[in-house]
Amino acid sequence: MLYVPISCVKPGMVVAKPISQTRNRIFFAQRGLKLDSRTIKRLSELGIKSIWVECEGMEGVGERINDAVVEKRQELSGLLINTVESAGSQDNPKFKASVFQSKVGGLLDEIMDDPIHEPIVSGVAADCSNLVRHQTNCCYLCLLLGAHLSGYVRDQRKRLSGKVAEDIRELGIGAFIHDMGKAKLSERVQKISILSRNAKDPEYQSHVKVGSEMFRGEFSSLVMYMINHHHQRFDGKGFPSVQSREQGAGPAPLAGDKIHIFARILAVVDAFDHLLGPPQSPRPTIQALHVLREMQLQGWFDPIVVAALMRLIPPFMVGSVVTLSDGNKAVVIENHGEAPCSPIVRPVMSGEPGVPGVRMSAGIVNLAETNDVFVYKVNGVDVEPFFFSPLPISDGEMAFWGLRSKAVKAVQAAAAEI
């Protein structure tokens, strides 16, 4: 099974996972459909940017993808479409906090049941606005990162009991609605992100206040805090300014651990998702991770959160087709955290991946064990300039990372011995 951009889909390919509309879940294509040029064009017109297709010799890839997680993310997108529309068209839109909490909680439950599933960073629901796609992605990535950083979250919330401190549902809810204020602003402002050259535009920066006022009284003070402060920077150069409690000190942005850990996680995820680009012109994940690392070195983010995300999110997604430096194509079948830019791949012997008649190699190549070949291009983009090594984490900080995945692997190992 392969994950293929719609621009690379060819007649004869067979749909591996159903393709449905986000709002009403109407199916555009069922599994097993053999695609022709007319259907491919229609899917592109409907806003579908990537699909799963069958590929001989790659059947095991599908087992790495958690369909329940994908389903919950699509449900969130469907809910958010209606919310964004009502926010943009009504002066005082009404929101049901219980519905938001239930949907986000459902996604968190699926993540906790399978915390080591293969992350899908691209929007699983492309037939929706960029605002809907962005907030849904941020919700998923924040919950995923928060689950894996449970020890760090607990350490940063020392005043709470361990179980309460590790509860990250509010992290997911805050991420799910953090940019809703943009829905009430001009179309010009909606296109601005924290990465834009005009990110200091006063109207753009007002979206945090507009968003918090929109949900005032509906959600907890922590969720409101996340909406207000997800653009604070670790080095104290973010916004908005806050009145200091120190005598004689004036208003200033927050910095370091004065920023709540949930807002720190959201700040990293928000920037990372913007770096991935919109579905209309996506960037390779390795490029987004490379730029995020450069931003971290400039003091933008909590270094532990960035280091964790760069170990959690693979530069090359399992099931993606890449071009190697020797000119041959291959399919990514596994990644490693310590050598993220050197995945394990299965080379293509002849034919086109996903097209009937393709012949895949019986063997695999671990690119971390060879200096002769490396991933050269992804979807036609030269990615060699974006290669990176994992950010260093001290022994003390490493104790915060991977607690969930280590626990799951320990359970699995114990079960295997029975």
Side-chain angles (χ1 to χ4, degrees):
M1 191 168 73
L2 309 176
Y3 193 59
V4 183
I6 197 71
S7 59
C8 297
V9 175
K10 294 180 172 54
M13 289 184 173
V14 177
V15 175
K17 289 183 180 292
I19 306 168
S20 63
Q21 184 188 50
T22 303
R23 185 194 297 268
N24 299 317
R25 305 311 307 277
I26 298 173
F27 285 92
F28 298 141
Q30 293 283 2
R31 177 180 179 180
L33 175 67
K34 188 174 182 178
L35 296 167
D36 55 27
S37 56
R38 181 180 177 182
T39 305
I40 295 170
K41 180 181 179 181
R42 181 57 179 155
L43 289 174
S44 179
E45 292 171 347
L46 289 168
I48 306 302
K49 301 302 178 184
S50 299
I51 65 173
W52 288 98
V53 300
E54 301 286 359
C55 182
E56 299 171 47
M58 299 300 302
E59 291 77 13
V61 169
E63 299 172 3
R64 304 287 301 277
I65 308 303
N66 190 315
D67 290 333
V69 170
V70 173
E71 176 71 20
K72 293 298 182 182
R73 289 175 66 180
Q74 289 181 323
E75 288 180 7
L76 282 172
S77 292
L79 171 63
L80 205 55
I81 287 174
N82 296 325
T83 305
V84 168
E85 288 179 352
S86 62
S89 61
Q90 299 176 24
D91 291 334
N92 297 298
K94 300 297 181 182
F95 307 101
K96 291 186 178 180
S98 60
V99 177
F100 284 64
Q101 292 162 348
S102 175
K103 293 294 185 182
V104 171
L107 175 58
L108 177 59
D109 288 344
E110 296 298 341
I111 291 173
M112 297 303 292
D113 284 345
D114 183 15
I116 54 175
H117 68 273
E118 185 69 20
I120 301 178
V121 297
S122 58
V124 295
D127 59 322
C128 54
S129 70
N130 287 340
L131 179 59
V132 169
R133 179 204 60 78
H134 172 64
Q135 294 192 135
T136 304
N137 280 2
C138 285
C139 176
Y140 164 68
L141 291 171
C142 277
L143 290 175
L144 186 65
L145 194 53
H148 281 275
L149 277 175
S150 55
Y152 189 43
V153 170
R154 184 176 64 246
D155 176 79
Q156 295 293 294
R157 306 179 79 190
K158 288 187 176 73
R159 296 181 181 180
L160 303 175
S161 66
K163 186 175 181 180
V164 174
E166 288 188 37
D167 188 339
I168 57 173
R169 282 174 294 182
E170 287 180 304
L171 170 61
I173 294 169
F176 187 50
I177 58 176
H178 72 280
D179 266 350
M180 281 296 297
K182 285 186 174 182
K184 283 191 166 296
L185 301 178
S186 67
E187 187 174 340
R188 176 190 68 84
V189 171
Q190 291 184 33
K191 295 179 180 179
I192 301 176
S193 78
I194 192 61
L195 309 177
S196 303
R197 60 176 177 78
N198 48 352
K200 293 184 179 181
D201 183 297
E203 186 183 0
Y204 162 72
Q205 292 196 354
S206 74
H207 78 271
V208 297
K209 181 179 180 180
V210 173
S212 61
E213 290 176 350
M214 186 185 306
F215 292 108
R216 190 178 306 280
E218 298 289 340
F219 294 97
S220 70
S221 59
L222 179 51
V223 170
M224 294 298 100
Y225 178 99
M226 290 179 65
I227 296 174
N228 271 308
H229 296 295
H230 65 275
H231 287 309
Q232 299 288 359
R233 278 177 46 169
F234 205 66
D235 59 6
K237 296 180 180 179
F239 68 88
S241 294
V242 177
Q243 180 61 52
S244 173
R245 295 181 180 179
E246 296 181 12
Q247 182 124 11
L254 300 174
D257 61 7
K258 298 298 183 183
I259 309 168
H260 193 283
I261 181 58
F262 284 4
R264 277 180 268 157
I265 292 174
L266 176 55
V268 172
V269 168
D270 175 78
F272 173 63
D273 189 67
H274 281 305
L275 288 168
L276 289 170
Q280 296 83 356
S281 54
R283 302 184 187 96
T285 304
I286 186 174
Q287 181 178 358
L289 291 169
H290 170 84
V291 177
L292 187 73
R293 184 182 189 278
E294 296 302 307
M295 293 169 69
Q296 167 55 42
L297 296 178
Q298 296 172 28
W300 278 58
F301 307 116
D302 183 330
I304 295 180
V305 176
V306 175
L309 182 136
M310 295 190 72
R311 281 169 165 76
L312 181 63
I313 304 301
F316 308 110
M317 181 178 163
V318 166
S320 61
V321 179
V322 298
T323 301
L324 304 178
S325 55
D326 60 7
N328 294 319
K329 290 186 177 181
V331 177
V332 177
I333 61 173
E334 192 172 342
N335 294 284
H336 359 247
E338 298 309 313
C341 299
S342 301
I344 298 174
V345 301
R346 189 178 299 280
V348 178
M349 300 301 291
S350 64
E352 188 72 24
V355 176
V358 64
R359 189 163 65 91
M360 304 296 299
S361 170
I364 60 175
V365 178
N366 186 347
L367 298 179
E369 297 177 352
T370 176
N371 294 321
D372 298 330
V373 66
F374 54 88
V375 176
Y376 174 47
K377 287 186 177 182
V378 176
N379 299 330
V381 178
D382 179 1
V383 296
E384 187 179 3
F386 308 128
F387 277 37
F388 61 86
S389 298
L391 287 167
I393 305 180
S394 69
D395 290 341
E397 293 169 342
M398 196 64 188
F400 295 134
W401 164 245
L403 298 183
R404 295 291 185 191
S405 60
K406 288 178 182 177
V408 171
K409 289 178 180 177
V411 170
Q412 292 174 335
E417 295 176 359
I418 297 177

